[in-house]
Amino acid sequence: MELSTKPPNRRDIDGLRAISVLCVLLYHLEIPPFGGGFVGVDLFFVISGYLISRNVLSDTERGRFSIQRFYERRIRRLFPAAIVTILGTLLIGALWFSPEHFKSLTQDVVAALGSVSNFYFWRGSHAYFAKAADPSAVLHFWSLAVEEQFYLVWPAVLLIGRRFLGKALPALILLLGAGSLFAAQASLATDSAGAFYLPAYRAFEFAIGALVIFAERRFVLPASAQSILAALGFGLIAYAVISFDGTTAFPGANALIPCIGAACLIWAGQSHPLAAALTNPVAVRIGLISYSLYLAHWPLIIFAGYILGDGAQTIAAKSSVFVLAVASSELMYRYVETPFRARNTSLFPVMGVAAALIVMVGSLAFLANRQDGWPWRLSVEARATVDLQRFGFWPCTRSAQSKCAFGAVNEKIGIQMIGDSFAEQYVAAFDPAAKRAAVRGEAYTEEGCPMLVGLYRTNFDGTVQCRSERDKYLAAIKTNASPVVLSQSWLTYGGEIHSELGHSGSDASWIDVWRTGIEDTISDLGANGRRFLIIGGGVEPGCRSQMSRFAPGPLWHAPSTPCPPVPVETVRSRNKEFNAMLADVQERHPDQVRILLPDQYLCDADCPATVNGLWLYWDIDHLTVAGAQRVGKLAESVIRQFIEDGK
């Protein structure tokens, strides 16, 4: 059956949109029992697949489809509210965020403006510090990017498929959807972030919505069947929302549950008795403002958490965020969405205005990013505090041979560091001593990588990159005789560390593998009597706070709740076996090897996470500049002597 008239407006679909956005909102507010409320995004994808496919096919069948008109309507539908949300997010970020956090936000905004947030956050999810990073205020733009990428491809799929396959078009959609589903399920084991963010692994959800169109045309359902279908749809969605949580393998096969639920509700129509749950005025109104509500709710939650700290978890705060999100979305729907959607223009003027605004806002964000998050927004005293609350990999100057040059950067090399991020964090500790000794330091580091001779990491997607950087940096160190600092996250790699030289044996413990790597590094780099300083096991605070809130911004925000001190006996017990191995290495190389144990400088009777209001730890175990400088100051004589002995 083909349509000869324009498809009618579906109030029940507005109601389904309301369910979708409320599930997401209540999930993000951490309101039980909405632990699986993230499936609201999947419901949106099914709805989009249905509506976009229906509109393209019906317009084509009536001989009225225009690709220019299609994209012009999409831009007017999506862009105005999105750009207003981005501008508002940048404004609030500029008023409250510290320079480092605002710099990060501006980079995220550029990705959102380019409609590539999903790829951007996917790539970021593989970064070493991804788990430590605080959520972005524009993180939710990933789903909008997926939708926009769908719009680029799907009309062509429908038009080409209809022309060349005719009535077999549903088979093509089914085949594409099945391929997407199988790929998503397979990807969960190897790249779960890709399965979540990338459009190829979400295409089956849009395809499910599109297939409902052909089911409607093929089968005329009696009222009883419509009711059964609606009940099934509500049940499947409720099951997913209540039983799913952050540990659920998703999307993949589990996404079929809410997606089929949405498809059942769409197919059931709006004439059955249960339709009142979707077509009542409240549900319809929330559905109408659902796009603005989706855009507005997440930045409000992020800013509430940033400004109020633990206070954002109270019932009063969450209720206020909910009300504010609904109120702001109602305003945005009335005064932004509706006026622009009602205009009747052509594609190129609309595209030109949108492109100009994207360039303007993107340029502003890029400028703020390049200018280090606009530190001029803060007082001189506040800027000094900001610098102390950075990650300890600071200050750094661009270097042609390493990741970071520090100390007296215009002088000859006098100290070198090699390791992973646990070497990076000590740049702030060694920088003052290197400046006083008038020598340049070079930090040869790669996050998440063992950088000692012959060592490599398994079960890690950066293994090839790690080996390449390791060999390049070791070769650079061999070109001079300056002393070397070795520092790694010794205790966290466990059984993933192996030696490709085979010196430690296949059944060696992780400590023995590290011993082999250290000994091989001393042998390879120390033939000329080069000195080595090995930094032992570190200190882990008792909790992780929201690191973006450590540093001040232009306007007040509640301080982070301090972590409780960790007993020094706990730290030393954890590091005992590894540090004993280091002591043994030092005994074997008494003229070349020195040991620096961080707990001797970060702990007294216990190991505090903060001192004089400054956080010593940037995340669960990396040091801030304040923490690294504490080590550097208290170990000044050790570091100074190490540098002098290497001259």
Side-chain angles (χ1 to χ4, degrees), residues 249-486:
F250 202 86
N254 283 321
L256 288 175
I257 296 173
C259 289
I260 292 175
C264 287
L265 285 174
I266 295 172
W267 190 7
Q270 52 187 342
S271 300
H272 54 86
L274 297 177
L278 300 175
T279 59
N280 66 81
V282 174
V284 170
R285 190 62 188 181
I286 295 175
L288 290 174
I289 67 172
S290 60
Y291 176 56
S292 287
L293 183 54
Y294 180 78
L295 290 175
H297 86 282
W298 180 247
L300 290 173
I301 290 173
I302 293 298
F303 288 127
Y306 184 85
I307 296 168
L308 302 177
D310 292 342
Q313 298 303 311
T314 65
I315 294 176
K318 291 183 178 183
S319 299
S320 298
V321 169
F322 184 94
V323 171
L324 186 58
V326 173
S328 59
S329 59
E330 176 68 33
L331 290 173
M332 194 149 60
Y333 176 76
R334 287 189 186 185
Y335 300 110
V336 179
E337 279 196 71
T338 301
F340 283 94
R341 200 186 304 180
R343 294 182 181 180
N344 187 15
T345 57
S346 59
L347 174 63
F348 295 107
V350 171
M351 185 182 294
V353 171
L357 285 172
I358 288 172
V359 170
M360 290 171 58
V361 178
S363 298
L364 183 69
F366 179 78
L367 180 65
N369 185 271
R370 297 297 293 176
Q371 295 179 345
D372 210 23
W374 286 343
W376 51 262
R377 296 175 296 126
L378 279 67
S379 67
V380 174
E381 296 80 6
R383 278 181 246 171
T385 302
V386 165
D387 288 339
L388 290 171
Q389 297 294 255
R390 297 174 185 268
F391 175 43
F393 196 32
W394 184 88
C396 279
T397 300
R398 186 183 299 274
S399 171
Q401 62 193 73
S402 76
K403 203 168 185 180
C404 164
F406 59 94
V409 295
N410 294 319
E411 303 295 333
K412 67 178 183 178
I413 295 178
I415 185 170
Q416 302 170 99
M417 308 176 72
I418 188 165
D420 55 15
S421 59
F422 281 70
E424 293 178 347
Q425 68 180 345
Y426 288 111
V427 164
F430 284 79
D431 176 72
K435 285 176 178 171
R436 284 192 290 270
V439 298
R440 183 173 88 249
E442 296 282 353
Y444 302 95
T445 61
E446 191 68 21
E447 295 157 0
C449 299
M451 300 296 283
L452 306 187
V453 171
L455 297 193
Y456 67 96
R457 181 179 178 184
T458 56
N459 302 319
F460 179 56
D461 58 9
T463 297
V464 174
Q465 176 73 11
C466 285
R467 279 174 157 159
S468 173
E469 294 300 299
R470 177 201 68 191
D471 293 343
K472 180 179 72 174
Y473 287 156
L474 289 171
I477 291 174
K478 292 175 76 172
T479 63
N480 63 78
S482 298
V484 174
V485 178
L486 305 180

Side-chain angles (χ1 to χ4, degrees), residues 65-149:
F65 180 76
S66 164
I67 194 70
Q68 291 188 11
R69 177 65 173 158
F70 173 83
Y71 286 118
E72 179 257 328
R73 292 174 63 183
R74 291 299 90 205
I75 293 172
R76 284 194 292 107
R77 170 74 174 91
L78 300 177
F79 181 76
I83 197 69
V84 167
T85 301
I86 288 173
L87 283 169
T89 301
L90 279 174
L91 175 61
I92 298 174
L95 291 173
W96 265 278
F97 281 178
S98 68
E100 188 174 21
H101 197 35
F102 187 60
K103 179 180 179 179
S104 176
L105 173 63
T106 57
Q107 184 170 304
D108 300 344
V109 160
V110 171
L113 288 168
S115 298
V116 292
S117 284
N118 55 330
F119 289 98
Y120 171 78
F121 289 118
W122 166 62
R123 287 179 60 86
S125 71
H126 292 275
Y128 180 74
F129 287 113
K131 292 182 180 178
D134 298 316
S136 169
V138 292
L139 175 63
H140 61 320
F141 271 78
W142 75 267
S143 62
L144 184 58
V146 171
E147 285 238 10
E148 290 166 347
Q149 290 152 20

